[in-house]
Amino acid sequence: MEAKDSNPPDGGYGWVVVVSAFMVMGLTVAVLKTFGLFFVEIQQHFDELASTTSWITSVTIAVFHLGAPVASSLCVQYTHRTVVITGGLLAFSGMALGFFGLNMVWMYATTGFLQGLGISFSWTPAISIVSHYFSKKRVLANAIASAGECAFAFMFGPFFQWLISQYGWKGALLIIGGIQLNICVCGVLMRPLASSCLFEASHCETETPPGNGASRRDKEDKFPIMHKTFNWMLVRRPEFVLYAIFGILAAMSFFVPPLFLVPLSYSLGIDESWTASLLSILAMVDFGGRLLCGWYANLHVTKTIHLLAMAITLISTSLMLLPLANNYLSLAIFTGFYGFFFGTTVAIHITVLADVVGMPEFDSALGLFMLIRSTGGFVGPPLAGLIVDMAGDYRAGFYMAGAILVLSAGFLIILDRLQQRKIRGSKIRTQPEKSTLPYPSLHILKHQ
């Protein structure tokens, strides 16, 4: 990897990387979030059940999460730029091959597997390289990059609907695939940035005179070389395990509200046109929450893990209050509160992960975190559906999501206490002892 700078620039070319990541978020996750517009078209074309057709999106989400460790491992061995470009080509291939629409298995393999792998190979390194380029402004940079998901999702809804009406669902897939080729352009702009330890280590190796093995070993001890392999041993670190458990519980809850928001509004007798506006409100306040939280966190007034715990608590409160709505206005207000605090959570949770494991291990940690968190995304919606069926009321799903989020906030508190205890312990160990004064006579005179 070519070293462009020994330290995170916290600006400069880093903002080009942020804009590129903003585009990647929009061309990957936003496409996935609005793919439901193709659901009925594909179902009618193949004359399949809804459950059979829904597997296309399920495969995409599964491969997106399961491919994250692979993407992170490739980032460690090669560069973020290479992996993002590869992801763009895979995403394009998935949509372009889906254009042929041979059968449902074909759709699972193309718009399901290939598209999911392309999203994973694009999203994971894009969000990772932003954290490498920024240190003091990392939260703000991540918030701006992640906001691309909301901005593009807001635009893609009517745009994709227009494409389907003009060119059919097959033609729309091909055009969207061509648009996703811009991921490769964004990848080219993601110039590799070496960390300070890798930069210094390379100098240690190139400047050491031949035969001077002892001097080389001393310098390697002083400047440890960055890991060149994926670190699976992070699962043995208590801090990472606690944050991963938080991720599982949070994912169990985050996928529930969008799933039951529309059915709940229908059960309240709200018109379909007004119900659709709830999703627009959700996207807009989500966008605002990400940017506002990123700006506030960048002021360093509140510790990021404390800010995350507060945001999670406020989300759970919003979910507990949302079922109390009995008309469109009250439902829109509670939906706005939920969307805003959800946006604040998305803006900072990756930054907290970087703080927990440190930047040398961040690429490995991000892949593992995505892999482990996926279990929550798979379990949450079916569990909520089971509770809704047993209760006979969509409100039960929101109560479940709010309760689980309260539990997840508890693991953040435990993690913070563990980190504070380790910091206090390291300070105590580094304090010099009075009995080790270099001049014993001065110690005697002091007591006389």
Side-chain angles (χ1 to χ4, degrees), residues 132-295:
H132 281 285
Y133 259 90
F134 290 84
S135 177
K136 295 179 180 179
K137 299 178 181 178
R138 183 176 296 152
V139 184
L140 179 61
N142 275 320
I144 295 173
S146 68
E149 172 188 335
C150 306
F152 277 75
F154 184 77
M155 296 183 295
F156 277 169
F159 177 59
F160 286 2
Q161 193 68 61
W162 179 82
L163 286 178
I164 294 171
S165 65
Q166 294 294 316
Y167 304 100
W169 68 269
K170 291 185 178 181
L173 286 181
L174 184 61
I175 294 172
I176 294 170
I179 294 173
Q180 285 185 308
L181 278 175
N182 286 287
I183 295 174
C184 300
V185 179
C186 297
V188 171
L189 295 174
M190 293 179 179
R191 189 169 64 190
L193 177 70
S195 70
S196 57
C197 59
L198 180 60
F199 181 80
E200 296 289 350
S202 64
H203 277 265
C204 292
E205 293 178 357
T206 56
E207 294 178 2
T208 301
N212 194 358
S215 175
R216 177 174 179 173
R217 283 194 300 270
D218 292 341
K219 291 184 178 181
E220 286 178 350
D221 291 339
K222 185 177 180 181
F223 300 107
I225 299 176
M226 178 184 285
H227 295 283
K228 294 184 179 180
T229 58
F230 192 86
N231 186 9
W232 294 94
M233 293 299 101
L234 284 170
V235 295
R236 295 184 177 181
R237 292 178 56 175
E239 298 92 339
F240 178 78
V241 171
L242 287 171
Y243 197 70
I245 294 174
F246 155 76
I248 293 173
L249 295 174
M252 287 180 65
S253 304
F254 287 160
F255 289 94
V256 173
L259 185 64
F260 294 122
L261 182 60
V262 173
L264 177 62
S265 66
Y266 287 157
S267 68
L268 296 175
I270 299 174
D271 186 73
E272 291 185 7
S273 58
W274 288 103
T275 299
S277 68
L278 291 175
L279 300 178
S280 298
I281 292 173
L282 194 63
M284 288 188 293
V285 295
D286 184 357
F287 181 83
R290 297 185 192 213
L291 295 183
L292 185 60
C293 183
W295 168 80

Side-chain angles (χ1 to χ4, degrees), residues 36 48 60 65 80 94 141 148 160 208 214 223 244 258 260 268 273 301 339 351 360 374 412 417-418 426 430 439:
E48 293 284 356
T60 307
H65 286 87
H80 297 79
F160 286 2
T208 301
F223 300 107
F260 294 122
L268 296 175
S273 58
V301 177
T351 303
S374 66
L412 290 178
R417 294 290 179 85
L418 178 62
S426 62
T430 55
Y439 300 101

